[in-house]
Amino acid sequence: MKLSIRTLPIRWHLLVFAVLILVPQLLLGLGLGWWYAVAEHRRVEEGAVALAATVSSQLDRELEATKAALQALAASPNVAAQDFGALREQALELLKLRGSMISVRDRDHRQVMNTLVPTGEPLPVNRDPAVVAADMRVFSTGEPTVSDLYTGALTGGRYVLVNVPLRVEGEVRYALNMAMAPEVIRGILANAPLPAAWTATVLDGNDRVVARSRDQERYIGELAPPSFTERAAEFQSGVVDDVRALDGTPVFTAYDTLEVTPWRVVVAVPRSVLNAPFRTLVLSLAAVIALVLATSVVLARLYSLRLEHDVRALQALAASTGTGRPADRTPQTVSELVTVASALREADASLHERNRHRDLLLAELNHRVRNTLSVLRSVVEHTIRSSGDNAALASKTSGRIMALSRAHDLLSHAEWSATALSELVARTAEQERLTMLFEGPEIRMRAEAVVPLAQALHELAVNQRLHGQARDQPVVLRVEKAGEHMHFHWILPDGEDPLPWTSGFGLRLVRLCLERQLFGRIERLDASGLYATLPMAFVTGEGLRTEPFAARWSERTDAAAASSKH
């Protein structure tokens, strides 16, 4: 028999499925690889920018701390007294914490104090342009400054100066400066989280290397490549691509300028490191895809044999669902099939439970209908007995039946769940054509309390509508909570004479609803209004057992009848 693809066994469907998946995966893998490479490239760039900003911030803090230390020394009374010998002793104490040398120069750039030369010995003269320029900025602006890289006159080593003004009688007469060796700055670079292949360089204002994370001795004092300096001169921070480092390596660079001096921190990442993720990913994807293509067909064929067993077990279980007898086999390998099997069992159990629940609901519905018909029969019989002509009989009967209908309409809309007392008051006022106001907290009535309260409100409203004098003024239904009880007030309008109220069926019906059906107590029910106390439990259902209200009422009445016989 010739088979179409729709009727092939599951093993062939798995093979086709594997092929259909692997071909798009090849394209998707390449796309994801490109996306990953771009994202990794961006991540490396952002990391270089963040690292340059971090090192720049650390250098700013170091230079600011040095400035602060020198400014504290400049505030010494020895400065005003121009006692440079005593000032030298204080400077030596400061050098124990930071710096390599502290000196004082006058406006002619002659040293008057140097911590490397004992007091009284001749002092050297340093005319290095970087030192002279730093002194001139201090004397002209009266503000601290940082020099570019210079060569020390005494040691011949490379240093940078932090210069602060020394004021005597309010005039800047001297420059107090501290020499910092490039090794101090390189220590900051060494503490930075710099990846192994990256290089961090600090350039002074003349674009000369002050410190470098690698090969510092070789490149200190060297000018940065023009391909970098020409493109980085326009902005305080940024990135410059396609640059060759001092050793000739193609690099990507990120730079940031310090706040206290026009130095720059440059982080260089080799292009080979920047492009390495893409090369690695392409090779890895090629190897993985080749391996998957070679093995997927074989694995799909082998696994299909076990999968067929579980599918047949699920078929057997589905065939037994709803019959009341368990299946002989259960899927064991595929979790989805096990879940479907569990769902089939739950569906079978749910079907039996729904049938049982339906029977309970039908029994409860029959009980409620019998109770409603009994109440309806009682209302009609007592109305006939207490009424005069046929018109009054029809009106009273219709009104009391509509009160029952109103209650059942509310319960139907609420699906026989809790119903708001304020809504029942509003419905009663609308249908009885009487202005009624509800005051007090909202009461959520249980289903079995709605009908008695609806009948009681109907009788009170009809009496007010027929006999009330101030019909344009509202009647107030006030509810108050008091612990486990609820106070029920029916308040007539102010200034109205007491209404005539005969001891007919309406009065008895109100008492029946509030006292016998809701187990309340009527404190006052006369022509001036109603005041009753109802137990909250029987109105709201909170704290009661789960069996129907009618059953509890039957138990109570049966117990009362038995006790009366005794």
PDB file of all heavy atoms in Angstrom, residues 499-525:
ATOM      1  N   LEU A 499     -48.156  56.031  61.465  1.00  0.00           N
ATOM      2  CA  LEU A 499     -49.005  55.415  60.454  1.00  0.00           C
ATOM      3  C   LEU A 499     -49.947  54.400  61.092  1.00  0.00           C
ATOM      4  O   LEU A 499     -49.577  53.715  62.055  1.00  0.00           O
ATOM      5  CB  LEU A 499     -48.145  54.696  59.409  1.00  0.00           C
ATOM      6  CG  LEU A 499     -47.144  55.596  58.640  1.00  0.00           C
ATOM      7  CD1 LEU A 499     -46.345  54.729  57.687  1.00  0.00           C
ATOM      8  CD2 LEU A 499     -47.875  56.683  57.895  1.00  0.00           C
ATOM      9  N   PRO A 500     -51.157  54.311  60.569  1.00  0.00           N
ATOM     10  CA  PRO A 500     -52.050  53.245  61.059  1.00  0.00           C
ATOM     11  C   PRO A 500     -51.533  51.878  60.617  1.00  0.00           C
ATOM     12  O   PRO A 500     -51.129  51.695  59.481  1.00  0.00           O
ATOM     13  CB  PRO A 500     -53.377  53.599  60.394  1.00  0.00           C
ATOM     14  CG  PRO A 500     -53.014  54.362  59.163  1.00  0.00           C
ATOM     15  CD  PRO A 500     -51.787  55.144  59.501  1.00  0.00           C
ATOM     16  N   TRP A 501     -51.428  50.977  61.519  1.00  0.00           N
ATOM     17  CA  TRP A 501     -50.937  49.617  61.210  1.00  0.00           C
ATOM     18  C   TRP A 501     -51.825  48.629  61.958  1.00  0.00           C
ATOM     19  O   TRP A 501     -51.780  48.549  63.169  1.00  0.00           O
ATOM     20  CB  TRP A 501     -49.482  49.470  61.647  1.00  0.00           C
ATOM     21  CG  TRP A 501     -48.859  48.188  61.120  1.00  0.00           C
ATOM     22  CD1 TRP A 501     -49.257  46.937  61.366  1.00  0.00           C
ATOM     23  CD2 TRP A 501     -47.738  48.087  60.261  1.00  0.00           C
ATOM     24  NE1 TRP A 501     -48.483  46.035  60.735  1.00  0.00           N
ATOM     25  CE2 TRP A 501     -47.515  46.713  60.031  1.00  0.00           C
ATOM     26  CE3 TRP A 501     -46.888  49.011  59.664  1.00  0.00           C
ATOM     27  CZ2 TRP A 501     -46.507  46.249  59.247  1.00  0.00           C
ATOM     28  CZ3 TRP A 501     -45.868  48.530  58.880  1.00  0.00           C
ATOM     29  CH2 TRP A 501     -45.676  47.168  58.663  1.00  0.00           C
ATOM     30  N   THR A 502     -52.582  47.907  61.180  1.00  0.00           N
ATOM     31  CA  THR A 502     -53.476  46.910  61.787  1.00  0.00           C
ATOM     32  C   THR A 502     -52.694  45.648  62.061  1.00  0.00           C
ATOM     33  O   THR A 502     -51.610  45.428  61.522  1.00  0.00           O
ATOM     34  CB  THR A 502     -54.654  46.614  60.840  1.00  0.00           C
ATOM     35  OG1 THR A 502     -54.115  46.085  59.622  1.00  0.00           O
ATOM     36  CG2 THR A 502     -55.428  47.885  60.542  1.00  0.00           C
ATOM     37  N   SER A 503     -53.225  44.831  62.872  1.00  0.00           N
ATOM     38  CA  SER A 503     -52.560  43.569  63.204  1.00  0.00           C
ATOM     39  C   SER A 503     -52.926  42.497  62.199  1.00  0.00           C
ATOM     40  O   SER A 503     -53.429  41.442  62.543  1.00  0.00           O
ATOM     41  CB  SER A 503     -52.950  43.129  64.625  1.00  0.00           C
ATOM     42  OG  SER A 503     -54.365  42.968  64.695  1.00  0.00           O
ATOM     43  N   GLY A 504     -52.716  42.817  60.911  1.00  0.00           N
ATOM     44  CA  GLY A 504     -53.064  41.872  59.860  1.00  0.00           C
ATOM     45  C   GLY A 504     -51.898  40.985  59.478  1.00  0.00           C
ATOM     46  O   GLY A 504     -50.902  40.863  60.176  1.00  0.00           O
ATOM     47  N   PHE A 505     -52.036  40.401  58.294  1.00  0.00           N
ATOM     48  CA  PHE A 505     -51.040  39.443  57.840  1.00  0.00           C
ATOM     49  C   PHE A 505     -49.698  40.108  57.536  1.00  0.00           C
ATOM     50  O   PHE A 505     -48.641  39.501  57.691  1.00  0.00           O
ATOM     51  CB  PHE A 505     -51.559  38.712  56.590  1.00  0.00           C
ATOM     52  CG  PHE A 505     -50.559  37.756  56.024  1.00  0.00           C
ATOM     53  CD1 PHE A 505     -50.100  36.666  56.763  1.00  0.00           C
ATOM     54  CD2 PHE A 505     -50.036  37.947  54.754  1.00  0.00           C
ATOM     55  CE1 PHE A 505     -49.163  35.803  56.238  1.00  0.00           C
ATOM     56  CE2 PHE A 505     -49.098  37.080  54.231  1.00  0.00           C
ATOM     57  CZ  PHE A 505     -48.664  35.998  54.973  1.00  0.00           C
ATOM     58  N   GLY A 506     -49.745  41.385  57.081  1.00  0.00           N
ATOM     59  CA  GLY A 506     -48.490  42.100  56.795  1.00  0.00           C
ATOM     60  C   GLY A 506     -47.607  42.170  58.024  1.00  0.00           C
ATOM     61  O   GLY A 506     -46.390  41.944  57.949  1.00  0.00           O
ATOM     62  N   LEU A 507     -48.204  42.516  59.194  1.00  0.00           N
ATOM     63  CA  LEU A 507     -47.437  42.578  60.435  1.00  0.00           C
ATOM     64  C   LEU A 507     -46.895  41.194  60.796  1.00  0.00           C
ATOM     65  O   LEU A 507     -45.736  41.049  61.171  1.00  0.00           O
ATOM     66  CB  LEU A 507     -48.316  43.126  61.562  1.00  0.00           C
ATOM     67  CG  LEU A 507     -47.670  43.183  62.942  1.00  0.00           C
ATOM     68  CD1 LEU A 507     -46.475  44.106  62.937  1.00  0.00           C
ATOM     69  CD2 LEU A 507     -48.696  43.638  63.977  1.00  0.00           C
ATOM     70  N   ARG A 508     -47.718  40.188  60.653  1.00  0.00           N
ATOM     71  CA  ARG A 508     -47.266  38.841  60.983  1.00  0.00           C
ATOM     72  C   ARG A 508     -46.175  38.367  60.020  1.00  0.00           C
ATOM     73  O   ARG A 508     -45.249  37.661  60.412  1.00  0.00           O
ATOM     74  CB  ARG A 508     -48.451  37.868  60.952  1.00  0.00           C
ATOM     75  CG  ARG A 508     -49.503  38.161  62.014  1.00  0.00           C
ATOM     76  CD  ARG A 508     -50.413  36.962  62.241  1.00  0.00           C
ATOM     77  NE  ARG A 508     -51.044  36.485  61.015  1.00  0.00           N
ATOM     78  CZ  ARG A 508     -52.182  36.982  60.533  1.00  0.00           C
ATOM     79  NH1 ARG A 508     -52.814  37.959  61.170  1.00  0.00           N
ATOM     80  NH2 ARG A 508     -52.697  36.499  59.429  1.00  0.00           N
ATOM     81  N   LEU A 509     -46.285  38.796  58.755  1.00  0.00           N
ATOM     82  CA  LEU A 509     -45.283  38.390  57.766  1.00  0.00           C
ATOM     83  C   LEU A 509     -43.918  39.023  58.076  1.00  0.00           C
ATOM     84  O   LEU A 509     -42.873  38.371  57.948  1.00  0.00           O
ATOM     85  CB  LEU A 509     -45.731  38.788  56.352  1.00  0.00           C
ATOM     86  CG  LEU A 509     -44.829  38.319  55.193  1.00  0.00           C
ATOM     87  CD1 LEU A 509     -44.663  36.815  55.220  1.00  0.00           C
ATOM     88  CD2 LEU A 509     -45.402  38.773  53.854  1.00  0.00           C
ATOM     89  N   VAL A 510     -43.936  40.280  58.526  1.00  0.00           N
ATOM     90  CA  VAL A 510     -42.677  40.928  58.912  1.00  0.00           C
ATOM     91  C   VAL A 510     -42.051  40.184  60.091  1.00  0.00           C
ATOM     92  O   VAL A 510     -40.848  39.913  60.127  1.00  0.00           O
ATOM     93  CB  VAL A 510     -42.898  42.412  59.239  1.00  0.00           C
ATOM     94  CG1 VAL A 510     -41.626  43.030  59.829  1.00  0.00           C
ATOM     95  CG2 VAL A 510     -43.302  43.178  57.984  1.00  0.00           C
ATOM     96  N   ARG A 511     -42.864  39.871  61.065  1.00  0.00           N
ATOM     97  CA  ARG A 511     -42.328  39.138  62.217  1.00  0.00           C
ATOM     98  C   ARG A 511     -41.824  37.752  61.803  1.00  0.00           C
ATOM     99  O   ARG A 511     -40.785  37.277  62.281  1.00  0.00           O
ATOM    100  CB  ARG A 511     -43.408  38.994  63.284  1.00  0.00           C
ATOM    101  CG  ARG A 511     -43.728  40.308  63.991  1.00  0.00           C
ATOM    102  CD  ARG A 511     -44.628  40.085  65.200  1.00  0.00           C
ATOM    103  NE  ARG A 511     -44.886  41.331  65.912  1.00  0.00           N
ATOM    104  CZ  ARG A 511     -44.062  41.856  66.799  1.00  0.00           C
ATOM    105  NH1 ARG A 511     -42.924  41.235  67.080  1.00  0.00           N
ATOM    106  NH2 ARG A 511     -44.346  42.992  67.403  1.00  0.00           N
ATOM    107  N   LEU A 512     -42.566  37.088  60.947  1.00  0.00           N
ATOM    108  CA  LEU A 512     -42.157  35.764  60.499  1.00  0.00           C
ATOM    109  C   LEU A 512     -40.795  35.824  59.794  1.00  0.00           C
ATOM    110  O   LEU A 512     -39.916  34.993  60.041  1.00  0.00           O
ATOM    111  CB  LEU A 512     -43.212  35.182  59.546  1.00  0.00           C
ATOM    112  CG  LEU A 512     -42.841  33.851  58.858  1.00  0.00           C
ATOM    113  CD1 LEU A 512     -42.716  32.748  59.874  1.00  0.00           C
ATOM    114  CD2 LEU A 512     -43.870  33.496  57.790  1.00  0.00           C
ATOM    115  N   CYS A 513     -40.617  36.830  58.929  1.00  0.00           N
ATOM    116  CA  CYS A 513     -39.372  36.924  58.156  1.00  0.00           C
ATOM    117  C   CYS A 513     -38.179  37.238  59.052  1.00  0.00           C
ATOM    118  O   CYS A 513     -37.107  36.618  58.921  1.00  0.00           O
ATOM    119  CB  CYS A 513     -39.505  38.005  57.068  1.00  0.00           C
ATOM    120  SG  CYS A 513     -40.695  37.591  55.771  1.00  0.00           S
ATOM    121  N   LEU A 514     -38.354  38.209  59.970  1.00  0.00           N
ATOM    122  CA  LEU A 514     -37.208  38.666  60.748  1.00  0.00           C
ATOM    123  C   LEU A 514     -36.925  37.786  61.953  1.00  0.00           C
ATOM    124  O   LEU A 514     -35.757  37.585  62.316  1.00  0.00           O
ATOM    125  CB  LEU A 514     -37.417  40.109  61.202  1.00  0.00           C
ATOM    126  CG  LEU A 514     -37.576  41.154  60.088  1.00  0.00           C
ATOM    127  CD1 LEU A 514     -37.701  42.542  60.675  1.00  0.00           C
ATOM    128  CD2 LEU A 514     -36.424  41.091  59.103  1.00  0.00           C
ATOM    129  N   GLU A 515     -37.978  37.261  62.580  1.00  0.00           N
ATOM    130  CA  GLU A 515     -37.766  36.509  63.815  1.00  0.00           C
ATOM    131  C   GLU A 515     -37.625  35.008  63.559  1.00  0.00           C
ATOM    132  O   GLU A 515     -36.707  34.359  64.091  1.00  0.00           O
ATOM    133  CB  GLU A 515     -38.899  36.763  64.799  1.00  0.00           C
ATOM    134  CG  GLU A 515     -38.904  38.185  65.330  1.00  0.00           C
ATOM    135  CD  GLU A 515     -39.955  38.403  66.399  1.00  0.00           C
ATOM    136  OE1 GLU A 515     -40.940  37.618  66.447  1.00  0.00           O
ATOM    137  OE2 GLU A 515     -39.794  39.339  67.191  1.00  0.00           O
ATOM    138  N   ARG A 516     -38.498  34.451  62.749  1.00  0.00           N
ATOM    139  CA  ARG A 516     -38.480  33.007  62.603  1.00  0.00           C
ATOM    140  C   ARG A 516     -37.521  32.545  61.507  1.00  0.00           C
ATOM    141  O   ARG A 516     -36.887  31.502  61.639  1.00  0.00           O
ATOM    142  CB  ARG A 516     -39.890  32.498  62.306  1.00  0.00           C
ATOM    143  CG  ARG A 516     -40.873  32.798  63.442  1.00  0.00           C
ATOM    144  CD  ARG A 516     -42.172  32.029  63.272  1.00  0.00           C
ATOM    145  NE  ARG A 516     -41.943  30.587  63.282  1.00  0.00           N
ATOM    146  CZ  ARG A 516     -42.889  29.683  63.030  1.00  0.00           C
ATOM    147  NH1 ARG A 516     -44.128  30.087  62.758  1.00  0.00           N
ATOM    148  NH2 ARG A 516     -42.625  28.396  63.060  1.00  0.00           N
ATOM    149  N   GLN A 517     -37.418  33.333  60.421  1.00  0.00           N
ATOM    150  CA  GLN A 517     -36.539  32.893  59.333  1.00  0.00           C
ATOM    151  C   GLN A 517     -35.092  33.349  59.518  1.00  0.00           C
ATOM    152  O   GLN A 517     -34.164  32.671  59.084  1.00  0.00           O
ATOM    153  CB  GLN A 517     -37.070  33.402  57.987  1.00  0.00           C
ATOM    154  CG  GLN A 517     -38.412  32.783  57.626  1.00  0.00           C
ATOM    155  CD  GLN A 517     -38.799  33.073  56.183  1.00  0.00           C
ATOM    156  OE1 GLN A 517     -37.957  33.143  55.314  1.00  0.00           O
ATOM    157  NE2 GLN A 517     -40.085  33.246  55.939  1.00  0.00           N
ATOM    158  N   LEU A 518     -34.903  34.528  60.148  1.00  0.00           N
ATOM    159  CA  LEU A 518     -33.545  35.037  60.358  1.00  0.00           C
ATOM    160  C   LEU A 518     -33.140  35.009  61.819  1.00  0.00           C
ATOM    161  O   LEU A 518     -32.089  35.536  62.175  1.00  0.00           O
ATOM    162  CB  LEU A 518     -33.421  36.468  59.807  1.00  0.00           C
ATOM    163  CG  LEU A 518     -33.582  36.606  58.300  1.00  0.00           C
ATOM    164  CD1 LEU A 518     -33.487  38.056  57.881  1.00  0.00           C
ATOM    165  CD2 LEU A 518     -32.531  35.782  57.562  1.00  0.00           C
ATOM    166  N   PHE A 519     -33.976  34.445  62.702  1.00  0.00           N
ATOM    167  CA  PHE A 519     -33.665  34.296  64.120  1.00  0.00           C
ATOM    168  C   PHE A 519     -33.331  35.621  64.790  1.00  0.00           C
ATOM    169  O   PHE A 519     -32.456  35.699  65.650  1.00  0.00           O
ATOM    170  CB  PHE A 519     -32.507  33.304  64.327  1.00  0.00           C
ATOM    171  CG  PHE A 519     -32.720  31.987  63.644  1.00  0.00           C
ATOM    172  CD1 PHE A 519     -31.754  31.450  62.806  1.00  0.00           C
ATOM    173  CD2 PHE A 519     -33.908  31.292  63.828  1.00  0.00           C
ATOM    174  CE1 PHE A 519     -31.953  30.237  62.170  1.00  0.00           C
ATOM    175  CE2 PHE A 519     -34.098  30.070  63.202  1.00  0.00           C
ATOM    176  CZ  PHE A 519     -33.146  29.540  62.372  1.00  0.00           C
ATOM    177  N   GLY A 520     -34.018  36.715  64.339  1.00  0.00           N
ATOM    178  CA  GLY A 520     -33.797  38.024  64.926  1.00  0.00           C
ATOM    179  C   GLY A 520     -34.767  38.305  66.066  1.00  0.00           C
ATOM    180  O   GLY A 520     -35.565  37.460  66.487  1.00  0.00           O
ATOM    181  N   ARG A 521     -34.685  39.520  66.559  1.00  0.00           N
ATOM    182  CA  ARG A 521     -35.585  39.955  67.640  1.00  0.00           C
ATOM    183  C   ARG A 521     -36.076  41.358  67.310  1.00  0.00           C
ATOM    184  O   ARG A 521     -35.276  42.285  67.128  1.00  0.00           O
ATOM    185  CB  ARG A 521     -34.839  39.962  68.972  1.00  0.00           C
ATOM    186  CG  ARG A 521     -35.740  40.325  70.160  1.00  0.00           C
ATOM    187  CD  ARG A 521     -34.988  40.254  71.485  1.00  0.00           C
ATOM    188  NE  ARG A 521     -34.001  41.307  71.613  1.00  0.00           N
ATOM    189  CZ  ARG A 521     -32.696  41.135  71.458  1.00  0.00           C
ATOM    190  NH1 ARG A 521     -32.220  39.929  71.166  1.00  0.00           N
ATOM    191  NH2 ARG A 521     -31.847  42.130  71.599  1.00  0.00           N
ATOM    192  N   ILE A 522     -37.402  41.505  67.220  1.00  0.00           N
ATOM    193  CA  ILE A 522     -38.002  42.808  66.923  1.00  0.00           C
ATOM    194  C   ILE A 522     -38.208  43.543  68.238  1.00  0.00           C
ATOM    195  O   ILE A 522     -38.981  43.106  69.103  1.00  0.00           O
ATOM    196  CB  ILE A 522     -39.332  42.649  66.161  1.00  0.00           C
ATOM    197  CG1 ILE A 522     -39.071  42.001  64.783  1.00  0.00           C
ATOM    198  CG2 ILE A 522     -40.027  43.981  66.002  1.00  0.00           C
ATOM    199  CD1 ILE A 522     -40.317  41.764  63.969  1.00  0.00           C
ATOM    200  N   GLU A 523     -37.512  44.665  68.375  1.00  0.00           N
ATOM    201  CA  GLU A 523     -37.641  45.491  69.574  1.00  0.00           C
ATOM    202  C   GLU A 523     -38.882  46.380  69.500  1.00  0.00           C
ATOM    203  O   GLU A 523     -39.541  46.635  70.513  1.00  0.00           O
ATOM    204  CB  GLU A 523     -36.383  46.362  69.747  1.00  0.00           C
ATOM    205  CG  GLU A 523     -35.055  45.606  69.692  1.00  0.00           C
ATOM    206  CD  GLU A 523     -34.862  44.720  70.894  1.00  0.00           C
ATOM    207  OE1 GLU A 523     -35.621  44.861  71.875  1.00  0.00           O
ATOM    208  OE2 GLU A 523     -33.950  43.859  70.843  1.00  0.00           O
ATOM    209  N   ARG A 524     -39.154  46.861  68.295  1.00  0.00           N
ATOM    210  CA  ARG A 524     -40.326  47.731  68.122  1.00  0.00           C
ATOM    211  C   ARG A 524     -40.834  47.559  66.697  1.00  0.00           C
ATOM    212  O   ARG A 524     -40.074  47.605  65.734  1.00  0.00           O
ATOM    213  CB  ARG A 524     -39.953  49.197  68.345  1.00  0.00           C
ATOM    214  CG  ARG A 524     -41.177  50.121  68.369  1.00  0.00           C
ATOM    215  CD  ARG A 524     -40.804  51.605  68.432  1.00  0.00           C
ATOM    216  NE  ARG A 524     -40.307  52.078  67.159  1.00  0.00           N
ATOM    217  CZ  ARG A 524     -39.070  52.452  66.917  1.00  0.00           C
ATOM    218  NH1 ARG A 524     -38.176  52.362  67.886  1.00  0.00           N
ATOM    219  NH2 ARG A 524     -38.684  52.884  65.732  1.00  0.00           N
ATOM    220  N   LEU A 525     -42.154  47.368  66.563  1.00  0.00           N
ATOM    221  CA  LEU A 525     -42.801  47.298  65.260  1.00  0.00           C
ATOM    222  C   LEU A 525     -44.203  47.846  65.448  1.00  0.00           C
ATOM    223  O   LEU A 525     -45.096  47.155  65.948  1.00  0.00           O
ATOM    224  CB  LEU A 525     -42.847  45.854  64.729  1.00  0.00           C
ATOM    225  CG  LEU A 525     -43.583  45.666  63.401  1.00  0.00           C
ATOM    226  CD1 LEU A 525     -42.991  46.528  62.316  1.00  0.00           C
ATOM    227  CD2 LEU A 525     -43.572  44.199  62.995  1.00  0.00           C
TER     228      LEU A 525
END
